Amino acid sequence: MKVLTDFLPIVLHGMLVTVALSLGAMVLATAIGLGGAWARLAGNRAVRLAALAYTVLVRGMPPLVLMLLLYFGGQTAINATADALRLEPLRIEPFTAGIVSIGVIFGAYLTETFRGAYLSIPQGEIEAGIAVGMPPLTLARVVVLPPLMRLALPGYWNIWLTLVKSCALVSVIGLQDAVYAALSIGRSTREPFTFMLVVMVLYLAYTGLADLAFRALGRRLARGTRTAGV
Amino acid sequence: GPVAAQDKTQDKTIVFATEAAYPPFNLLTSDGKIVGFDVDIAMAACEKMKRTCAFVQQDWDGIVAGLQTRRYDAIFSSMGITEERKKQLLFTDPYYRPSAAFVGTSDVKVDFKDPALGGATVGAVPGIYECYVKKAYPKAKLTVYPNSDALYLDLTSGRIDLAFNGMVAITNSFLKSDDGKGFALVGEPVRDAGCLGEGAGVAMRKDDVALKEALDKAFKDMRADGTYKAINDKYFTFDIYE
Amino acid sequence: MIAAQRICKDFGSLSVLRGISLEAANHDVISIIGASGSGKSTFLRCLNLLEMPTSGSLRIGGEDLDLRPGPQGLVAGDRKQVRRIRAMLGMVFQGFNLWSHMNVLDNVMAGPVHVQGRSKAEARESAEHYLQRVGLYEKRDAYPAFMSGGQQQRAAIARALAMEPAAVLFDEPTSALDPELVGEVLKVIRGLAEEGRTMIVVTHEMAFARDVSSKVLFLHKGEVEEAGPPGELFRAPRSERLKAFLTRAAV
Amino acid sequence: MIAAQRICKDFGSLSVLRGISLEAANHDVISIIGASGSGKSTFLRCLNLLEMPTSGSLRIGGEDLDLRPGPQGLVAGDRKQVRRIRAMLGMVFQGFNLWSHMNVLDNVMAGPVHVQGRSKAEARESAEHYLQRVGLYEKRDAYPAFMSGGQQQRAAIARALAMEPAAVLFDEPTSALDPELVGEVLKVIRGLAEEGRTMIVVTHEMAFARDVSSKVLFLHKGEVEEAGPPGELFRAPRSERLKAFLTRAAV
Amino acid sequence: MYAFQVLSDHIPLFLTGLGNTLLLLVLSAVLAFALALPLALVVTRKVRVATPLIEAVSYMFRGTPLIVQVYLLYYGLAQFAFIRGSLLWPWLREAWTCLLIAFTLGSCAYLIQILRGAIEAVPHGEVEAARAIGMSPFQTLRIVVLPNALRRSLPSLENETIFLLHATAIASLVTVIDLLGAGRNFNTIYYFTYEGFAIAGLLYLAIVGFLRLTFALLEKKLLVHLRRAGI
Ligand SMILES: Nc1ncnc2c1ncn2[C@@H]1O[C@H](COP(=O)(O)OP(=O)(O)OP(=O)(O)O)[C@@H](O)[C@H]1O
Ligand SMILES: Nc1ncnc2c1ncn2[C@@H]1O[C@H](COP(=O)(O)OP(=O)(O)OP(=O)(O)O)[C@@H](O)[C@H]1O
Ligand SMILES: [Mg+2]
Ligand SMILES: [Mg+2]
């Protein structure tokens, strides 16, 4: 018990890292996902292929590997350039790097989720927007996004949860999130399970809070729809 | 001029990376500090070099990559020196030479002459320890664990009969803990330059010869003036350097 | 106002439109009649480029549309122009296509607010006016999924009218309406034409085509089989197909 | 065949049906007319319990339906009975409701194969027969999203008929059809009635109601305002509402 | 490159990893789907006790890191003498069983949400049409709801399969050498920076490429009935 209270601040600090990372990365991933879905469905073949390559490559690499490549690979490139120019190399901040790499990874998954949801929107509703002459962004915002979010919500929600948990990956780039804190404290104190349980509770609290928000959003987005009792 | 530039590098803090999860060599305290034998040795060496030093915590998966991208200057984390690894990294001379040993329940009987270890199941972490068991007991049933913790957990749960690991890690950490009750070293401690390598060293980028030389000299001085012994005795009842 | 020249449209190997031309000036009410599957909706959708014609040319509101040959039919060269044209052409879809996540009022207000940039208050006032005109004011807070077929159709009509477009393309705008409302809607269409707008109406109501329109097009298998002022066309059809169509039409 | 007694239906605070009764025997063609939103579709949907009435009773094909009071309106006591009844009552929806992931042929075959357990070959033959009858044989491989409004409506009619049900509930079955096809469909309906089946048709086609049906119900705000044989009802409407409806109906 | 010179000694390591990863992926994906489908149906039907129960359990699985779940299941349970003495121990002592349980339940929790959403998105009218024709609830499900829902959820199902693929990398935590674990061991032996991960990464990429092709084919075949409007 003493161990628990002593080490709790470190785990809590780790949780703070997890929360900040996950929120930042989700915003980025959503933006990438929307853009990616648009590109996947674009009329232009080159744009379509580029988006396809992005989703296959990024989803094809284990997130851990991708993070190592993006962070250390990116740093190597920066160092090489800086050396060539005889400058002091710019250091990528681990936190920024964490947000960017997790955002890029999950942007690829969201691309597919949003694409699938788009295909399920009744075609006529989009045509009606086109027919009144809405410019693309207005069309997207007013006509496409609300049903898109409704249809994408279950997948989006899942991806959010996976993303939150994937924040544990940032330990390879030198950030200490809640899981890493728990694992390393567990090994330092030789009480692995205590801290894992603490982490589970913290995660459940965090994701539970987010779940409430998602449920409210789901109810709001479902306005106007009739669901068939099967 | 060149003199000023050298002064500048002399002023810069040397940053060491460690896993901080390998007691008693490196571990985390409740206020988030990184401590342990590695850290004490490092700090004493820095004093000898008249340099300021700091530690950062880094997950093992990215620890080499972080070094190569100059996130820190060296890895001070009980890294085993082997011929293979020397091809990638520059190592100091060993600052300690761990022997390895098997641990099991106090009553377990093992036939160490048998290449199958008499049918006993054995666990080890990858790298040097895995290498040794495979070489010495090619027919033994070997399970590979991601870290020492997992290894001991399965030893206590009875999934494996024996664990093969660094001697100090066994005696100073596992056997002293609650879980270690009823367990003991089995057989003789092992030293094997082929797999286990020359000992634990500090790893640096290939081109960082200056730092290697400074550290090597500091270790020698510490051995000579008793600093090393003082630290050694704080943790161990025997001389871990030999 | 609208001039379409030799519009053709293929869906894969299926030729749905085979060179349809149409001229519509202000004040015109043009009815398009024809059998189910003869290409009426497709033609209407080609006029505002919801469907890209395979070939042909369009002139709308005095502008020649910039249509260029592409790999599969024409492509628009100037997207801004297309949007401008679409905002000028109101459209009432055969399947209504109301936005399911908006209530009726929002459906009607969306175009004026988001496309024409009118203020919310103003758009709301005009939306309520049009909803009243189609007898749907009481249902303004209802979502489309909870309305009857006729109510949805009236909402779709109000949505098109609220844009106050120079021309309106109606695709069977009275199919779900009771005869009483049919009369109302036809009155509205006539009124709009009198204001100087152009009305193009795909319809199965021969009475409407005869009484309200200034010109009737009879489509058959993707071609204009016969066209002319309704008086002539209904009294003395020349083509065999139209004759058959009109005789059998009487129950 | 069908006897509905004082059917009421509320949606929340909105009373849509206020005690509607109807008797339909074999050979009967009963037309239901009325303004948009008067509750026609809702009443039809109550007959096969797609919508559970708030109160009332139903007797179909000689069976009293087991309806019990529940917290929100009636609930069915015997689910098997409900399914049996539904298989007896064909339905053509106002919005067609074709199954979007099946082509037309599969849409028409699904009922006979899966509900009636007929062999695929047999069901296919009969499906093709009905598709031919509504002039859709050529489109049998098309998916609903790629068909014209009238084609979808005909597919929906074929789907209902392929079950060869004892009674068919038609919700505006000709709304999307050209006059020629309207004639065809009405012929089909008349033919089915002659075979001894019961037809209930919600319609806006006064000509149809007058010429084909054996009885007409005029709904107004959820009540039967007037009912009777079409001759009487159209020649000498008694209620003011019906009078107004019929006068204004003429364009 | 040095890494490729020494790689030949470790090909069996990578092959073992690849085999374990594929086996874990296929087994747990199939089991998870088979379990998720009925559970998703219960959730959509809003059954009184069962639905909240399923949702709560699924929330537990989705809300906590898989690595922690596996750790507790494999190492945690084994710490209790009564579990080691129980009838389940022969199963629980095997890392494979623990992994399959954790992956299956974890993935199942996600699949439930995906399937629930897809089922609820089936157009209301199509379900009514099935009912009106007299189909039983089960038939409605089999003939109308599921074909429609499963097709719509193809992209999400693909995502979930790939998530599961990457989740299998946890296996090496409990002594089963998976593909990523093989790469990690390779790195540890030589203190390589990326090489082991890169080799594993290429193999993962091949698996995902294959999955994408399969799903693209399925979409092409099964989604022809949806019409698309370009923005
Ligand atoms: N699910 C529902 N929830 C709430 N209100 C509904 C629902 N369905 C229908 N209504 C309302 O009930 C009334 C009757 O609808 P119904 O569809 O029966 O009309 P109708 O007579 O068929 O009209 P139409 O000729 O336009 O099809 C309408 O005012 C409609 O808005
Ligand atoms: N997207 C499409 N892809 C393939 N064929 C199509 C598509 N849209 C329509 N068609 C076909 O083109 C033909 C003309 O359709 P259209 O909708 O223009 O008919 P219509 O004259 O409006 O008929 P209705 O009176 O039944 O609405 C039909 O045979 C239809 O099946
Ligand atoms: Mg049409
Ligand atoms: Mg209706």
Side-chain angles (χ1 to χ4, degrees), chain C residues 11-56:
Chain C
F11 287 116
S13 61
L14 186 73
S15 277
V16 175
L17 302 179
R18 305 155 185 254
I20 297 198
S21 305
L22 170 146
E23 297 256 347
N26 293 347
H27 296 287
D28 268 356
V29 179
I30 301 201
S31 293
I32 302 179
I33 61 174
S36 168
S38 58
K40 306 180 295 295
S41 298
T42 307
F43 178 62
L44 222 54
R45 293 158 54 81
C46 282
L47 289 182
N48 62 0
L49 297 184
L50 278 182
E51 215 75 77
M52 288 310 285
T54 316
S55 65

Side-chain angles (χ1 to χ4, degrees), chain C residues 148-150 176, chain D residues 37 39-42 94 171-172 202 204:
Chain C
S148 81
Chain D
K40 304 180 296 296
S41 298
T42 308
Q94 190 167 15
D171 200 348
E172 305 191 16
V202 168
H204 291 321

